[in-house]
Amino acid sequence: MVSHVIPKTYAEALTVLKAGNHRVIAGGTDMMVRHRAWAGLPPLFDKPVLFAFTLSELKYVKEDEQVICIGAMTDLETLLHHERTPALLRQVIAIMASPAIRYVSTLAGNIVNASPAADSLLALYALDAQVVLESTSGKRILSIEKTIVGPGKTVLHDDEMVAEIRIPKTRFTHTMFRKVGGRRADAITKIGFVGCATVNEGIIRDLRLVFNAVAPVVVREKSVEALHVGHSVKNVLSDTDTLMHHYSEHIKPIDDQRSNQHYRKEAALRLARHFLDTLA
Amino acid sequence: MPDIHQSVPKIDAKEKISGRMTYVADMRYDDMLYAKTVRSSQAHARIRSVRVPTLPEGYHVVDHRDIPGKNVVKMIFDDWPVFASDTVHHVGEPIMLVVGPDKRIVQTLVDAIVIDYEPLNPTFSMTDSVVNYHYDKGDPASAFKAADTTVAYDYETGYQEQAYIEPQGFIGTYDDERIHLIGSIQAPYYVKNAVIDTMACDPDAIRVVQATVGGAFGGKEEFPSLMGCQLAVALNKIKRPIKLIYEREEDMDVTTKRHPSKTRIEGAIKEGRITALRIHIGIDGGAFIGLSGVVLSRAIIAATSAYTVDNLDVSGDVYKTNTVPNGAFRGFGAPQMIYAVEMFFHHVAKHLNVDVHDFRLKHLAKQGNHTSTSGLFRDPILMPEMIERACAMSDYHTKRKAYANPEVYKGIGMSWFLHGCGFTGSGEAEHIKAKIKLEKLPDGLVYLRVAAVDMGQGAKTTLMKVAAKTLDLPLERIRYENPDTDLVPDSGPTVASRTAMVVGGLVARAATKLKKTWIDDEHQVIHEQYVQPDYVRWNQDTFTGDAYPAYSWGVNVVEVEVDKTTLEVEVKHIWSTYDVGQSLDDNIVLGQADGGTAQGVAYGYLEVMRHREGKLLHKNMTDYVIPTAVDMAKTTTELYNNPFALGPYGAKGAGELTLVGGAPAVALAIEMAIGKRVHAIPATPEYLMEVLHHAND
């Protein structure tokens, strides 16, 4: 059995983290499943646990002119209904898991869990989200891409926790979100896609294509996107094969119990192509 | 009492909905111990040695050496060991129980047991036949010789998991030299009889009581006999209360599932009609035969489903593989065959380039026709009007024309089907010999003493209604407690769509007798026993005669839309018409219809289970995807009244019928939407992507 701490304040939480080797639990919707034990026995945690979900200091949604700031312990159901939540993020949250799970799960938990199939990460990657990490020694602000380095792997230090998620305010003329799961609700993603674009007088001004569940981390290739910005939609659509070829190198899905690599790859590329078609 | 079909509140609804109902996992005794199963990690291996750590005081292991009687679970084919002795045949095969008071320590001991295996060559392909059946009808050889043309197609179906809400479990006590088992079970006497053999004891030494069952779907027909035998051996050794409850993953990993199947159908066609069929179905039995032979019987008897074909050559095999044993599941072999036959009729019509609907109607079974096994369809068949009604409700004909355009990615599919009610052939008369008792106490309360289990399907409510209506008493005067083998005679297992028709029939007869002989303030007991209708003749060796005393009939229409980009299937609406004889309670039958259709349609397009080298890949409710309320389409269902003379108030079977047509209906709808033939279910987006790339037409 391991010990657990339920801190009263955020400052106390950071102090506990500094002192020991604690695992932080937000909503616990992944951790409690992963560490489940025989019914009636306590979960099998391998480290002491810090329960952060009760930290009301970290439950907020604020904004200034450029950025929306989401406190790390804000649950997804709150975000789903919050007027400041970016529309794309809200669209993603709406089909995530089940209502019961949404009431306790958090963006911070999704980030640290770092599943390549996490739905919310699609929106966070597309929206250039930044993650504020904090310890008693101070804050670090990292892009979402820099925060997550592999399946279940982040750059968080042992004494750090996620304090806030910052999402720059961005407008697009076109967005598309598609999740392909085993069923229409309460399903883990087989493959997911978000496309965002701004098209002005036939010219692509901004293009973002994001895929999940197709590689060890969420795929967004800014260099490929950049190749197409400034070009006409017509031009891009006349040669989608090249663009698809670029993504083909990065979309390397696996066979597992939920789907197979052939389907995942093809469905991912078909979705991207479908999104591009909507720009015309 | 009003008309029998008029719904009453289900008598168990309040307790279940409010959460007050007690299930076996909720029960506890003082001094209770917990049991956990040690299982094989190998698909096929010889056990060289088992190293058990030193057990703390009060902890025990129980294995094959503790079995006083036979190390076999008594079923139809007695090949299933209670505990593996020297060889294991599938991953998850039980080897021993670890029993003790503290779950943590029990788990630690389970983890510390080291088993040394000598690997043997496992078989995963359907090559090793252990049961083979064959029958003919008419003269198939001549019909094939005389044919204008012949067509052959292959079909495949996958596993299906029952996915009952409540995992399997038992609690047992040992008092006064008697073993008392309480479990989540469908067949109290199957458990009792199996335990008697394993314990080699007097029948009176075993008492089996059904705990409230949180869903079963066939999954609690034969499997609980295995757990019951193991627990009885443990109780006999340790003599203290023991609880053996499976966790969800353990349950999904090791309990019986629907048999994967491969079917080849060859048709002889003359003058636009199918004159003969040659059918072979192979089912994957898993490591032990268990009930697989009986499942195979029902599958081959369903060879022509709702059609009549005069000449048949039908055969089937159960193949043994080193995988989890497969077994009973709502439909019991019929869903696999009916899927294949329905697809085949469509594919032949397409091949002949004739209208599918007209082609099917030409072959529809009629009263007076011979069944697949050369028996007789004696009773009226309402299918023509049920089909017409289903077409009208769903606007089938307009839609199938509109959806013929491959650009719309929409489809509508229709299945026609029947289900034989009760045990196959002479099973009721020769094996089950159902007995019931109606007991009237001096206070005027009437107790139904039957072994039938209410697993959510409404058996209690419907059988109590039958008794109340016949006795002309209010429902409150009827009592029906969970079966206890000390109190109820063996009215048979709660399986095979037999409970309403067979057990309900006995209840009605007993109630009629009681009413005639009723004496106020007296204790009266009425006994009743099943008598096979004398016209039912069955030859089990040749598979000829009346396989069932009665048939229920159904039509499903399923409309789908397929996403052009991802090939995900959305089921838009399901329309159904059913003939279950006389409904004993409309809401209960409609509940069966919605649940059965959901399970049947999902079998066709959604529910995926596979194994890799004998290890199941889908063993929790996250990975094994069943429909949620969001996935489930709106249903419109109409019931047709077609009373069966020997059923209570005319009732036939309703439980399985509603499942068997779902898969072909959805598969045909998908086929229309994508413009390619579907030869395997579940028709997942992954499968459809493959079909789009590789298949013709």
Side-chain angles (χ1 to χ4, degrees):
Chain A
M1 273 258 276
V2 296
S3 65
H4 68 269
V5 181
I6 305 177
K8 291 204 170 53
T9 63
Y10 181 41
E12 185 192 340
L14 293 179
T15 310
V16 171
L17 287 181
K18 183 185 172 63
N21 182 23
H22 282 73
R23 211 173 266 286
V24 180
I25 286 198
T29 57
D30 287 302
M31 294 275 275
M32 294 303 285
V33 177
R34 190 169 312 140
H35 298 286
R36 67 190 176 283
W38 189 358
L41 292 182
L44 302 163
F45 288 115
D46 48 357
K47 286 179 178 182
V49 172
L50 183 145
F51 288 96
F53 196 63
T54 51
L55 295 173
S56 50
E57 295 152 84
L58 297 184
K59 291 178 196 265
Y60 58 83
V61 181
K62 296 191 287 208
E63 67 179 336
D64 62 22
E65 291 200 347
Q66 277 103 39
V67 182
I68 294 155
C69 301
I70 299 167
M73 292 304 130
T74 313
D75 65 80
L76 294 184
E77 192 67 21
T78 300
L79 283 177
L80 178 61
H81 303 290
H82 204 287
E83 56 184 19
R84 291 183 182 132
T85 306
L88 179 66
L89 181 58
R90 198 180 301 159
Q91 209 187 330
V92 172
I93 291 171
I95 53 81
M96 279 178 68
S98 59
I101 295 288
R102 290 197 296 266
Y103 271 98
V104 288
S105 54
T106 61
L107 290 181
N110 287 169
I111 292 167
V112 179
N113 191 52
S115 161
D119 297 314
S120 66
L121 294 183
L122 274 177
L124 297 181
Y125 273 70
L127 297 171
D128 285 334
Q130 296 193 307
V131 186
V132 180
L133 305 175
E134 191 164 13
S135 67
T136 49
S137 6
K139 281 185 184 174
R140 293 197 285 162
I141 302 174
L142 297 174
S143 68
I144 184 80
E145 286 100 328
K146 291 269 161 58
T147 310
I148 297 171
V149 293
K153 288 200 186 93
T154 67
V155 297
L156 259 77
H157 300 144
D158 274 352
D159 62 348
E160 274 179 328
M161 64 180 279
V162 177
E164 187 177 276
I165 293 100
R166 294 185 180 173
I167 303 177
K169 291 182 176 173
T170 321
R171 283 176 181 280
F172 303 101
T173 55
H174 297 77
T175 60
M176 183 178 117
F177 161 61
R178 281 294 303 275
K179 164 178 174 152
V180 182
R183 63 182 161 213
R184 292 159 57 75
D186 207 4
I188 293 179
T189 296
K190 288 178 184 178
I191 180 257
F193 171 78
V194 160
C196 304
T198 294
V199 178
N200 202 333
E201 292 170 349
I203 306 295
I204 295 174
R205 302 293 175 193
D206 190 353
L207 180 69
R208 305 174 186 196
L209 305 177
V210 190
F211 305 85
N212 70 349
V214 295
V217 293
V218 173
V219 170
R220 180 175 169 199
E221 292 302 319
K222 289 185 178 171
S223 57
V224 181
E225 292 168 4
L227 290 175
H228 297 84
V229 171
H231 291 266
S232 70
V233 172
K234 218 171 164 185
N235 254 345
V236 172
L237 285 183
S238 69
D239 186 19
T240 45
D241 285 351
T242 309
L243 190 139
M244 291 306 133
H245 183 73
H246 281 301
Y247 279 102
S248 219
E249 288 170 32
H250 302 284
I251 294 178
K252 297 205 158 112
I254 55 165
D255 289 335
D256 64 8
Q257 70 274 34
R258 281 185 271 282
S259 189
N260 62 49
Q261 43 180 317
H262 171 78
Y263 174 81
R264 282 182 159 127
K265 181 154 192 168
E266 176 146 4
L269 294 178
R270 278 171 167 242
L271 283 168
R273 204 184 281 267
H274 178 57
F275 172 67
L276 293 173
D277 285 340
T278 66
L279 303 183
Chain B
M1 210 179 144
D3 276 356
I4 192 95
H5 72 90
Q6 287 186 17
S7 296
V8 302
K10 258 173 132 177
I11 62 119
D12 50 345
K14 232 182 209 172
E15 262 185 292
K16 283 181 175 167
I17 292 166
S18 63
R20 277 185 320 226
M21 188 64 93
T22 303
Y23 294 85
V24 63
D26 303 318
M27 298 176 188
R28 53 183 62 251
Y29 293 95
D30 295 336
D31 295 341
M32 189 174 75
L33 309 177
Y34 297 94
K36 188 99 186 159
T37 314
V38 177
R39 300 184 177 281
S40 165
S41 62
Q42 306 292 308
H44 195 198
R46 212 178 311 284
I47 298 175
R48 277 203 205 103
S49 68
V50 178
R51 234 176 34 244
V52 179
T54 312
L55 297 171
E57 206 188 317
Y59 290 81
H60 314 263
V61 293
V62 178
D63 68 15
H64 68 99
R65 290 165 301 181
D66 298 305
I67 298 171
K70 280 189 262 177
N71 183 13
V72 66
V73 185
K74 184 188 159 85
M75 283 177 212
I76 304 286
F77 291 82
D78 294 340
D79 68 335
W80 197 332
V82 177
F83 291 110
S85 46
D86 55 350
T87 311
V88 289
H89 302 86
H90 69 94
V91 173
E93 185 175 345
I95 296 168
M96 56 172 60
L97 296 180
V98 176
V99 184
D102 186 328
K103 278 184 170 183
R104 257 169 298 198
I105 295 169
V106 170
Q107 183 68 60
T108 312
L109 290 168
V110 168
D111 296 340
I113 289 171
V114 179
I115 300 168
D116 183 24
Y117 297 99
E118 177 193 335
L120 299 171
N121 214 9
T123 306
F124 300 118
S125 60
M126 291 208 235
T127 46
D128 183 6
S129 173
V130 284
V131 181
N132 171 272
Y133 291 140
H134 170 260
Y135 70 86
D136 280 335
K137 174 191 181 185
D139 183 357
S142 302
F144 268 95
K145 228 177 263 167
D148 300 334
T149 176
T150 62
V151 190
Y153 294 111
D154 293 287
Y155 302 97
E156 274 184 47
T157 65
Y159 277 116
Q160 189 176 23
E161 156 67 33
Q162 292 87 354
Y164 29 70
I165 296 177
E166 179 209 22
Q168 308 246 8
F170 273 94
I171 191 166
T173 59
Y174 188 91
D175 309 293
D176 297 332
E177 316 265 296
R178 291 190 84 208
I179 287 166
H180 177 189
L181 299 171
I182 306 173
S184 179
I185 57 181
Q186 274 176 258
Y189 273 94
Y190 276 8
V191 177
K192 176 167 169 150
N193 293 335
V195 172
I196 291 167
D197 267 29
T198 297
M199 298 309 295
C201 68
D202 190 273
D204 289 342
I206 309 298
R207 177 183 179 192
V208 176
V209 177
Q210 175 232 319
T212 298
V213 176
F217 309 105
K220 294 171 184 173
E221 176 172 347
E222 78 275 37
F223 191 85
S225 295
L226 172 68
M227 291 178 77
C229 287
Q230 292 171 343
L231 192 55
V233 174
L235 289 163
N236 182 57
K237 180 174 185 176
I238 302 164
K239 301 186 170 40
R240 276 179 53 183
I242 304 173
K243 199 173 196 177
L244 175 61
I245 308 272
Y246 284 175
E247 298 283 287
R248 171 66 64 187
E249 293 195 359
E250 180 177 23
D251 188 300
M252 290 186 72
D253 215 8
V254 305
T255 64
T256 48
K257 338 235 155 267
R258 191 184 304 292
H259 298 73
S261 75
K262 287 184 180 177
T263 304
R264 180 171 182 81
I265 308 183
E266 193 181 355
I269 291 134
K270 193 171 173 70
E271 287 154 17
R273 277 187 82 100
I274 296 178
T275 52
L277 291 175
R278 194 174 286 132
I279 302 179
H280 180 267
I281 183 166
I283 64 172
D284 181 348
F288 304 112
I289 302 171
L291 296 185
S292 293
V294 198
V295 171
L296 180 66
S297 295
R298 198 179 266 274
I300 61 172
I301 291 168
T304 44
S305 188
Y307 304 107
T308 296
V309 176
D310 292 334
N311 303 292
L312 295 173
D313 169 351
V314 182
S315 59
D317 288 277
V318 174
Y319 296 104
K320 185 172 169 164
T321 62
N322 292 104
T323 58
V324 61
N326 295 312
F329 191 152
R330 193 180 197 174
F332 210 75
Q336 292 93 323
M337 181 59 89
I338 288 176
Y339 158 71
V341 173
E342 281 295 76
M343 301 312 280
F344 183 77
F345 268 75
H346 280 74
H347 293 164
V348 170
K350 262 191 202 164
H351 175 78
L352 298 176
N353 203 15
V354 295
D355 183 85
V356 172
H357 196 72
D358 296 342
F359 182 73
R360 297 169 79 194
L361 278 175
K362 268 202 243 182
H363 297 85
L364 183 63
K366 293 177 191 65
Q367 185 176 16
N369 281 171
H370 287 291
T371 64
S372 58
T373 54
S374 310
L376 203 59
F377 285 121
R378 283 188 177 74
D379 298 312
I381 295 172
L382 308 184
M383 284 297 271
E385 53 183 300
M386 288 162 62
I387 291 166
E388 206 170 308
R389 181 69 192 133
C391 288
M393 287 197 292
S394 61
D395 208 7
Y396 175 75
H397 292 296
T398 316
K399 284 176 182 165
R400 73 181 175 119
K401 282 194 191 82
Y403 299 166
N405 176 359
E407 290 304 302
V408 299
Y409 275 78
K410 288 181 183 172
I412 190 160
M414 174 155 56
S415 61
W416 306 348
F417 47 92
L418 52 60
H419 196 76
C421 306
F423 265 84
T424 302
S426 41
E428 289 289 345
E430 282 174 16
H431 296 295
I432 304 298
K433 300 176 185 144
K435 293 175 207 64
I436 71 141
K437 222 159 72 173
L438 215 53
E439 190 169 1
K440 191 201 90 185
L441 299 189
D443 60 9
L445 292 178
V446 177
Y447 282 79
L448 301 189
R449 304 296 191 197
V450 298
V453 167
D454 195 319
M455 45 206 169
Q457 87 281 38
K460 278 191 177 176
T461 308
T462 48
L463 296 190
M464 286 166 70
K465 280 177 78 178
V466 167
K469 172 96 178 155
T470 311
L471 288 161
D472 200 15
L473 288 174
L475 204 53
E476 298 71 49
R477 295 269 299 277
I478 313 295
R479 292 285 185 275
Y480 180 164
E481 291 162 346
N482 288 347
D484 172 344
T485 57
D486 275 7
L487 298 175
V488 304
D490 185 358
S491 64
T494 314
V495 305
S497 301
R498 65 182 289 280
T499 300
M501 187 178 85
V502 175
V503 183
L506 295 177
V507 167
R509 267 165 50 196
T512 307
K513 270 192 204 164
L514 177 61
K515 196 176 181 202
K516 275 193 199 141
T517 57
W518 185 282
I519 305 166
D520 280 337
D521 308 323
E522 258 189 43
H523 183 213
Q524 289 176 276
V525 180
I526 308 288
H527 296 269
E528 226 12 279
Q529 179 160 358
Y530 180 77
V531 182
Q532 181 139 304
D534 50 14
Y535 59 78
V536 174
R537 295 275 151 73
W538 176 251
N539 183 330
Q540 179 65 33
D541 298 326
T542 57
F543 277 79
T544 49
D546 289 302
Y548 305 99
Y551 299 86
S552 291
W553 300 81
V555 178
N556 287 157
V557 182
V558 174
E559 186 175 354
V560 302
E561 185 164 356
V562 175
D563 187 280
K564 283 180 202 181
T565 313
T566 61
L567 305 181
E568 290 166 282
V569 172
E570 184 185 354
V571 179
K572 308 293 276 188
H573 204 124
I574 303 170
W575 298 267
S576 307
T577 51
Y578 294 115
D579 158 15
V580 296
Q582 163 71 56
S583 141
L584 294 179
D585 187 293
D586 287 349
N587 279 348
I588 286 179
V589 176
L590 291 173
Q592 287 288 299
D594 279 349
T597 312
Q599 209 162 25
V601 170
Y603 176 52
Y605 85 105
L606 196 69
E607 298 189 17
V608 179
M609 184 176 267
R610 292 188 312 272
H611 70 80
R612 187 178 295 148
E613 303 287 295
K615 286 194 177 106
L616 288 169
L617 299 174
H618 306 79
K619 47 186 174 183
N620 55 48
M621 299 311 293
T622 304
D623 290 340
Y624 185 72
V625 166
I626 62 172
T628 65
V630 182
D631 299 277
M632 188 54 194
K634 192 172 160 46
T635 55
T636 309
T637 305
E638 289 186 10
L639 303 177
Y640 278 70
N641 203 33
N642 186 16
F644 168 55
L646 300 176
Y649 297 93
K652 300 188 286 194
E656 296 172 284
L657 175 77
T658 56
L659 184 144
V660 300
V666 74
L668 289 166
I670 292 170
E671 186 164 292
M672 186 182 289
I674 64 166
K676 301 266 186 186
R677 288 201 306 255
V678 170
H679 283 272
I681 53 167
T684 59
E686 287 80 2
Y687 172 73
L688 300 181
M689 195 73 92
E690 215 175 287
V691 166
L692 278 190
H693 282 300
H694 302 299
N696 308 320
D697 85 326

